[in-house]
């Protein structure tokens, strides 16, 4: 343990930090691929106030990484150095008033859509088809079936890595395709969403349509992290899965890793040896597609940690 780690842990103890703190903590159970490296220091905050305290204690002495549901990440075998923060149940609330819905960043997207269904709130049915949590959905402008997070996002309450609270408002410049321009040193804590009233029958039918499309097109109950590559909109009208298939890579396999037979842009992991192998598989695909078709596929999955 180096001096920065010792100082940080000592200060946490002095300030009576009681949220979960563990050293060299393996993150495999927090990724949908089921294999990952370790977090040097893993922390689940007790609440918002304690999160601010811990960030103020850290004062940038350790690098900070925020982990969501792990539904769209590869965490390399070398693990993540510094402080890895995962927001827990205290960030899983959902409330609403006449103007908007306020939800914690740790709320699962599906639970948000269920809440809206039960409370006859329309416009967020598409979240029933998105894996992961709301904070991650905002960070990546997640969407499906012609709807995106930017369409319903109003603002977010955030805290920066120094413990300063700030607010991010929606603007035309804040989002692009599968991406937001929210600074990387901001932790999204609360998200405010547009609220429009609808009836439960209409909402239920829209959610059913999303579910049916997802079940028809996407693999279920396997070790996958959703869409692997972004659709290369600026290079071709073809979608990523079409590019992969035209490059002859639909049946490509590497040491227990392959594409789903149901969707050629969903990686399936059937091994437990290495997260690096998943990245290697994707890089082989990117290289082949570039050689054969001149298209530069961009990762939609986020890659964290050291090799």
């Amino acid at each position: 343990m180096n001096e920065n780690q010792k100082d940080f842990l000592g200060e946490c103890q002095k300030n009576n930090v009681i949220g979960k703190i563990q050293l060299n903590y393996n993150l495999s159970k927090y990724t949908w691929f089921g294999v990952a490296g370790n977090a040097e220091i893993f922390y689940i905050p007790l609440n918002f106030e304690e999160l601010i305290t811990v960030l103020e204690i850290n004062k940038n002495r350790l690098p900070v990484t925020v982990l969501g549901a792990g539904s769209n990440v590869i965490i390399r075998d070398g693990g993540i150095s510094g402080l890895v923060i995962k927001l827990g149940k205290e960030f899983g609330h959902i409330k609403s008033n006449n103007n908007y819905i306020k939800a914690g960043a740790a709320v699962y997207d599906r639970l948000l859509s269920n809440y809206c269904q039960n409370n006859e709130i329309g416009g967020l049915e598409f979240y029933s088809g998105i894996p992961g949590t709301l904070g991650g959905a905002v960070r990546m402008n997640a969407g499906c079936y012609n709807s995106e997070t930017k369409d319903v996002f109003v603002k977010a309450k955030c805290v920066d890595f120094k413990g300063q609270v700030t607010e991010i408002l929606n603007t035309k410049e804040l989002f692009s395709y599968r991406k937001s321009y929210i600074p990387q040193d901001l932790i999204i804590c609360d998200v405010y969403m547009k609220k429009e009233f609808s009836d439960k029958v209409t909402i239920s039918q829209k959610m059913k349509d999303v579910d049916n499309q997802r079940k028809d097109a996407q693999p279920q109950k396997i070790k996958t992290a959703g869409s692997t590559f972004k659709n290369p909109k600026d290079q071709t009208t073809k979608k990523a899965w079409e590019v992969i298939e035209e490059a002859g890579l639909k049946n490509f396999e590497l040491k227990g890793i392959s594409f789903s037979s149901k969707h050629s842009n969903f990686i399936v992991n059937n091994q437990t040896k290495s997260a690096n192998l998943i990245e290697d598989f994707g890089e082989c695909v990117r290289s082949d597609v570039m050689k054969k078709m001149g298209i530069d596929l961009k990762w939609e999955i986020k890659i964290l940690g050291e090799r």
Side-chain angles (χ1 to χ4, degrees):
M1 187 182 300
N2 62 40
E3 289 303 314
N4 280 342
Q5 293 169 330
K6 287 180 182 178
D7 291 345
F8 170 77
L9 295 172
E11 287 296 316
C12 286
Q13 191 171 20
K14 286 180 186 177
N15 284 271
N16 299 312
V17 172
I18 59 176
K20 178 179 179 180
I21 297 179
Q22 290 190 265
L23 305 181
N24 296 318
Y25 187 78
N26 186 260
L27 297 170
S28 293
K29 72 177 183 179
Y30 290 117
T31 71
W32 286 30
F33 278 130
V35 58
N38 293 353
E40 195 168 61
I41 299 177
F42 182 66
Y43 169 56
I44 299 179
L46 177 69
N47 51 38
F48 182 69
E49 290 72 26
E50 188 186 83
L51 173 61
I52 292 173
T53 297
V54 168
L55 290 167
E56 288 175 342
I57 287 169
N58 186 48
K59 296 176 184 175
N60 287 334
R61 58 161 68 98
L62 298 172
V64 176
T65 302
V66 181
L67 185 64
S71 58
N72 66 332
V73 297
I74 294 170
I75 300 175
R76 291 166 168 158
D77 298 345
I80 304 175
S81 61
L83 178 63
V84 176
I85 297 173
K86 181 173 174 61
L87 302 184
K89 61 182 180 180
E90 292 301 319
F91 297 83
H93 56 267
I94 307 175
K95 300 176 183 178
S96 64
N97 60 23
N98 289 333
N99 300 314
Y100 53 75
I101 302 163
K102 176 186 175 184
V107 170
Y108 281 88
D109 299 324
R110 177 77 201 200
L111 292 181
L112 176 62
S113 63
N114 288 345
Y115 173 90
C116 293
Q117 178 186 32
N118 293 333
N119 290 274
E120 299 188 321
I121 300 168
L124 284 84
E125 296 89 352
F126 71 97
Y127 278 115
S128 64
I130 299 175
T133 56
L134 185 56
V138 173
R139 180 67 71 179
M140 294 189 66
N141 187 25
C144 64
Y145 311 118
N146 301 315
S147 294
E148 292 180 293
T149 295
K150 70 178 179 63
D151 303 326
V152 294
F153 177 83
V154 176
K155 63 181 180 178
K157 178 183 176 183
C158 306
V159 58
D160 70 18
F161 289 174
K162 295 179 181 178
Q164 298 295 310
V165 179
T166 188
E167 208 171 60
I168 296 290
L169 302 177
N170 198 354
T171 64
K172 290 181 180 179
E173 295 78 28
L174 187 62
F175 296 102
S176 62
Y177 175 65
R178 296 297 178 265
K179 185 177 180 179
S180 78
Y181 297 94
I182 297 172
Q184 290 301 311
D185 67 344
L186 290 185
I187 301 174
I188 299 167
C189 294
D190 285 323
V191 180
Y192 296 76
M193 318 288 281
K194 290 179 183 177
K195 184 175 182 180
E196 60 181 59
F197 291 96
S198 185
D199 63 274
K200 193 171 286 188
V201 173
T202 300
I203 295 168
S204 297
Q205 185 58 54
K206 287 182 179 179
M207 288 175 63
K208 186 177 179 180
D209 291 344
V210 169
D211 279 347
N212 287 339
Q213 290 180 67
R214 181 173 57 86
K215 289 173 183 177
D216 287 345
Q218 299 176 9
Q220 310 293 313
K221 298 179 180 180
I222 58 173
K223 290 181 180 179
T224 187
S227 183
T228 303
F229 302 110
K230 299 177 184 179
N231 290 327
K233 291 187 172 183
D234 57 338
Q235 302 171 68
T236 175
T237 58
K238 296 182 176 69
K239 294 185 176 180
W241 70 266
E242 294 175 304
V243 171
I244 289 165
E245 291 193 2
E246 285 192 24
L249 297 167
K250 180 178 182 178
N251 298 314
F252 175 56
E253 191 270 341
L254 176 69
K255 298 180 180 179
I257 303 155
S258 61
F259 285 118
S260 165
S261 58
K262 209 169 191 180
H263 197 302
S264 297
N265 195 27
F266 279 57
I267 289 177
V268 179
N269 177 45
N270 287 314
Q271 54 86 38
T272 58
K273 293 180 180 179
S274 171
N276 290 359
L277 287 174
I278 303 169
E279 182 182 7
D280 292 344
F281 176 92
E283 288 300 321
C284 285
V285 171
R286 293 185 67 238
S287 177
D288 252 27
V289 166
M290 176 57 76
K291 288 177 184 176
K292 294 176 179 178
M293 304 182 69
I295 294 173
D296 182 18
L297 288 179
K298 303 291 186 183
W299 284 95
E300 187 167 330
I301 291 173
K302 192 172 182 180
I303 300 171
L304 303 175
E306 303 297 326
R307 291 284 295 187

